[in-house]
Amino acid sequence: GPRSPSTPALTARVSAFQNSKKKESPRSPPPEENRGRKPSPEERQADDLQEELKTRMTMGKHRKFAPRPRAPSISIDYDSSPEEVTKWLLSRNFSKLTVESLGVLTGAQLFSLTKDELKTVCYEEGQKVYSQITVQKSLLDQQGGNQSELQVSDWDFGP
């Protein structure tokens, strides 16, 4: 049947856990030596995961998914000032270090940084910053908003 969006990850967790256990049918009676013993933490975890999965599967049939309310989207472009870059970084919940390090740059300067440069400046947050910058650039490209850089068609190649 249809699955809720969060179910595939949970299903994968349950499947991976079940595959790591001994291959035995969940409906078969336990071997004699196992009767009366307490389940291991791993077995309890698998049972908890299965219960959570069942709960999510049945809840999904009755629940309507409402989109999360979003804060007004702040965007930057190649002409953005350092103040606008700072607001953009803050709106994306980057750390104080990242905001202070990159908030002194203009939009064009920020967009010119490589992934490695961002990792050097922002440490573990560098990849996330790079991804956000990439998203912002692609939005600008879709809007045709990269006016700061000359387009080849603007160049005069005449004699």
Side-chain angles (χ1 to χ4, degrees), residues 16-46:
F17 187 82
Q18 287 174 333
N19 291 337
S20 70
K21 290 173 47 176
K22 283 187 212 140
K23 303 282 186 222
E24 59 184 50
S25 165
R27 303 228 185 280
S28 65
E32 282 304 315
E33 69 271 10
N34 287 341
R35 286 185 201 266
R37 71 172 180 83
K38 288 184 177 177
S40 71
E42 292 81 13
E43 290 167 326
R44 283 197 305 272
Q45 183 182 10

Side-chain angles (χ1 to χ4, degrees), residues 48-139:
D48 291 347
L49 285 172
Q50 288 174 337
E51 285 304 313
E52 183 182 350
L53 178 60
K54 283 181 201 166
T55 302
R56 287 190 188 191
M57 293 296 285
T58 55
M59 279 179 10
K61 290 182 173 79
H62 309 292
R63 190 170 51 177
K64 298 271 188 281
F65 287 99
R68 274 192 277 166
R70 303 189 87 196
S73 185
I74 295 173
S75 62
I76 54 172
D77 60 29
Y78 288 84
D79 298 320
S80 294
S81 68
E83 294 77 26
E84 291 168 316
V85 169
T86 298
K87 285 180 187 169
W88 181 80
L89 292 163
L90 288 169
S91 76
R92 277 148 180 78
N93 299 317
F94 287 115
S95 69
K96 186 176 183 222
L97 172 71
T98 296
V99 173
E100 288 175 358
S101 301
L102 300 178
V104 298
L105 302 175
T106 65
Q109 290 169 325
L110 184 66
F111 287 159
S112 73
L113 295 175
T114 66
K115 189 190 305 185
D116 288 336
E117 288 169 329
L118 288 163
K119 284 181 180 178
T120 301
V121 174
C122 307
Y123 305 103
E124 65 277 350
E125 237 177 9
Q127 174 65 51
K128 183 180 172 197
V129 177
Y130 180 78
S131 296
Q132 290 291 315
I133 291 171
T134 303
V135 167
Q136 198 64 47
K137 280 192 208 176
S138 77
L139 289 173

Side-chain angles (χ1 to χ4, degrees), residues 149-158:
E149 293 186 354
L150 288 173
Q151 303 299 316
V152 173
S153 59
D154 296 336
W155 294 19
D156 181 8
F157 289 107

